[in-house]
Amino acid sequence: MHLDRRIKIQLAVFIVVAVVAATVMIFGYIKLPANLLGVGRYTVTVELPESGGLYRNGNVTYSGTTVGRVEQVRLTDSGAEAVLSLDSSFQVPSDVDAAVHSQSAIGEMYVALNPRNPASPPLKGGEVIPRDHTSLPANINALLDATNRGLEAIPQDNLQTAIDESYKAVGGLGPDIARIVKGSTQLAIDAHNNLEPLTSLIDQVQPVLDSQTSTADAVTSWASHLATIMSGLQAKDTAVSGLLEKGPAAADQVHQVLDRLKPTVPILLANLASVGDVALTYQPAIEQLLVLVPQGVAMVAAGEVANLNTKQDYKGQFLDFNLNLNLPQTCSTGFLPAQQQRSMSLTDFPDRPPGDLYCRVPQDSPFNVRGARNYPCLTRPGKRAPTVKMCESDEDYAPLNDGYNWKGDPNATLSGQDVPQFAPGEAPPQAAQPRPVTPAQVGLPAVAYDPATGKYVGPDGRVYTQGDLAGMASSAKTWQQLLVPPPAGN
């Protein structure tokens, strides 16, 4: 048979194409040398508790890239072993986890190699991945059996009701569900883009979770209280609805009131700032006052009840006043002596003398027990002093003389204290020259007088006799003469 030159050329081209295709098929696709002779590949054994549905020729991936196949799956005395044939062109770390996964719903199983330490040396032929570095997927048959048993346990009528109600709940919400899915997808994409901060947040959230665990009782109590509040709101639903309906109008009226008060409210608040500091300092005293006010109101009410339903014309407090003069005896220690006291007949109003005037007897004295000397120092618990400055200083209260009577010169006391008393570190002012007074301008304090003997004890502790003050006096006297002190020694 004679072949012309054209046919020979076509046959040569066909043979060349066939050889190239066969070569590509054998070496590129089938990879006959590697699969048949093991060229460019190495094997690794994976210990498994069971086969987990893995089969021969299944894929092997490393970080999502196919790096080999399952060459063999065999049973052992303690479980199963999978022999992996890996491509030597991929450097797989020796410290890896081998996990058997299902690639699809029909059960295409593969082995996924996940690095534990990427810096570890690469795997070599013949190495074994131990069982504690492997994992298997959940048994789909057991899962289906459990699901089937769960569905069988649900009454069919209730299941149908649940499906019907679910349809009513989500029926027609396709666009909304689509937006939720789209938003969730975008959220997942953003989380992937910010993976490192999100990972740091997860790593550092442990202290916050620990604090929540340690405060679990408080959170439980808060939830219980919140449930109680919600129950109260539910019980008072009508009142709450009325509040919500009428609240905006009331809020508008309050807003109008605040607009009218706007010029004066800042001034009031500025003035209350200093009052707030004082109230903060005297908080215990204010609390005690609030405790005693109800008792005081009860006592006043008791006085009203005693006079209730009576035939008396006067309706009010039922009180009994017993006028007892000088019982108990008045406290004059610490006040100006009789020579410096103003007469009650004077009507001018000069400035009060500088310093502090108060009853300066011992703190445990039965006289004037509620006097200034027993004021509690709120900033110094346990200390009592008549003034704030003494409370804040290191000076303790000291009574004047023995605490009961004047002795000697009233301006030169035995304790060396001034009358009036001055604050610690405060120098007394220069004594002013006393202005001359007439005998009619000199007043005497009230003292106990014995009309039988005409004797009385003056504020300075000395005994005086004034016999013409009794009713049997021989001659009448003017009120000015009665105010003039008698000569000493009478």
Side-chain angles (χ1 to χ4, degrees):
M1 181 177 62
H2 177 73
L3 300 175
D4 57 9
R5 188 171 181 272
R6 177 172 174 273
I7 294 176
K8 292 180 179 179
I9 294 174
Q10 291 178 347
L11 291 174
V13 171
F14 176 76
I15 293 173
V16 171
V17 171
V19 170
V20 171
T23 302
V24 172
M25 181 70 68
I26 293 173
F27 292 95
Y29 182 74
I30 300 178
K31 297 181 180 180
L32 186 62
N35 294 329
L36 184 62
L37 303 177
V39 178
R41 306 183 74 85
Y42 63 96
T43 59
V44 175
T45 302
V46 178
E47 295 180 347
L48 300 170
E50 59 183 40
S51 65
L54 192 63
Y55 53 86
R56 189 169 178 268
N57 292 328
N59 290 331
V60 179
T61 64
Y62 173 71
S63 296
T65 302
T66 302
V67 296
R69 61 182 177 83
V70 178
E71 189 174 273
Q72 185 181 2
V73 179
R74 57 175 178 261
L75 297 176
T76 64
D77 295 338
S78 59
E81 289 181 348
V83 180
L84 309 183
S85 176
L86 305 180
D87 192 342
S88 59
S89 61
F90 294 96
Q91 297 292 328
V92 179
S94 57
D95 190 5
V96 294
D97 286 332
V100 179
H101 291 291
S102 177
Q103 188 171 0
S104 65
I106 61 176
E108 297 181 10
M109 311 303 291
Y110 70 97
V111 178
L113 300 178
N114 300 312
R116 294 166 56 92
N117 183 11
S120 60
L123 279 172
K124 296 180 181 180
E127 291 193 17
V128 178
I129 299 177
R131 180 180 297 184
D132 57 352
H133 287 186
T134 62
S135 61
L136 295 175
N139 192 332
I140 187 65
N141 294 326
L143 179 61
L144 292 176
D145 290 341
T147 303
N148 186 46
R149 288 194 300 271
L151 292 176
E152 290 177 352
I154 300 176
Q156 298 299 317
D157 295 339
N158 295 343
L159 181 60
Q160 183 176 358
T161 302
I163 295 175
D164 293 342
E165 294 298 329
S166 300
Y167 172 76
K168 293 178 181 179
V170 300
L173 298 179
D176 297 331
I177 297 176
R179 284 195 296 270
I180 293 175
V181 173
K182 183 177 180 181
S184 302
T185 304
Q186 184 62 40
L187 180 62
I189 295 173
D190 294 340
H192 182 270
N193 296 334
N194 299 276
L195 184 60
E196 184 175 354
L198 187 60
T199 305
S200 301
L201 175 63
I202 295 174
D203 293 339
Q204 298 174 7
V205 78
Q206 184 65 31
V208 178
L209 297 179
D210 292 340
S211 65
Q212 297 300 314
T213 302
S214 60
T215 58
D217 295 339
V219 174
T220 304
S221 300
W222 176 82
S224 177
H225 298 332
L226 183 60
T228 303
I229 294 174
M230 292 297 104
S231 300
L233 292 177
Q234 183 179 6
K236 302 294 183 180
D237 181 69
T238 304
V240 175
S241 301
L243 177 63
L244 295 178
E245 292 176 358
K246 301 177 182 179
D252 184 61
Q253 294 180 1
V254 172
H255 181 69
Q256 295 176 4
V257 172
L258 292 178
D259 286 341
R260 291 195 297 267
L261 296 177
K262 188 177 296 183
T264 57
V265 168
I267 300 175
L268 175 62
L269 296 179
N271 294 334
L272 288 178
S274 57
V275 177
D277 296 337
V278 176
L280 183 62
T281 302
Y282 286 88
Q283 178 183 353
I286 296 175
E287 292 181 356
Q288 182 66 15
L289 178 62
L290 295 178
V291 170
L292 296 178
V293 162
Q295 186 64 28
V297 173
M299 294 172 62
V300 173
E304 297 284 350
V305 171
N307 201 22
L308 185 65
N309 298 326
T310 62
K311 296 181 179 181
Q312 299 178 3
D313 295 334
Y314 171 73
K315 302 294 184 180
Q317 287 286 337
F318 189 78
L319 301 176
D320 183 12
F321 291 97
N322 293 322
L323 187 60
N324 296 322
L325 295 178
N326 211 29
L327 290 177
Q329 184 179 350
T330 58
C331 175
S332 60
T333 302
F335 296 94
L336 293 177
Q339 294 84 347
Q340 299 180 22
Q341 294 179 7
R342 288 168 49 81
S343 172
M344 293 181 289
S345 62
L346 300 179
T347 58
D348 57 343
F349 45 92
D351 296 335
R352 66 182 302 275
D356 298 315
L357 294 171
Y358 59 93
C359 181
R360 293 166 66 178
V361 297
Q363 290 180 326
D364 57 353
S365 172
F367 296 102
N368 196 20
V369 293
R370 297 183 180 88
R373 70 186 187 280
N374 285 326
Y375 287 166
C377 297
L378 298 182
T379 57
R380 298 285 187 90
K383 183 178 180 181
R384 293 179 296 163
T387 61
V388 176
K389 292 183 179 179
M390 186 178 293
C391 280
E392 299 295 335
S393 68
D394 296 332
E395 180 183 359
D396 293 327
Y397 171 79
L400 187 65
N401 290 336
D402 61 356
Y404 295 101
N405 296 301
W406 289 105
K407 292 183 179 179
D409 186 358
N411 292 322
T413 62
L414 297 180
S415 62
Q417 301 180 26
D418 297 308
V419 178
Q421 186 180 26
F422 295 93
E426 181 180 355
Q430 295 295 331
Q433 293 296 329
R435 59 180 181 178
V437 295
T438 63
Q441 294 176 326
V442 178
L444 289 176
V447 295
Y449 175 73
D450 186 0
T453 61
K455 294 181 179 181
Y456 63 91
V457 180
D460 55 358
R462 301 175 63 182
V463 179
Y464 296 91
T465 301
Q466 187 73 28
D468 55 356
L469 294 179
M472 69 285 295
S474 58
S475 61
K477 290 188 176 183
T478 63
W479 66 271
Q480 290 88 348
Q481 292 174 330
L482 294 177
L483 296 176
V484 175
N490 291 343

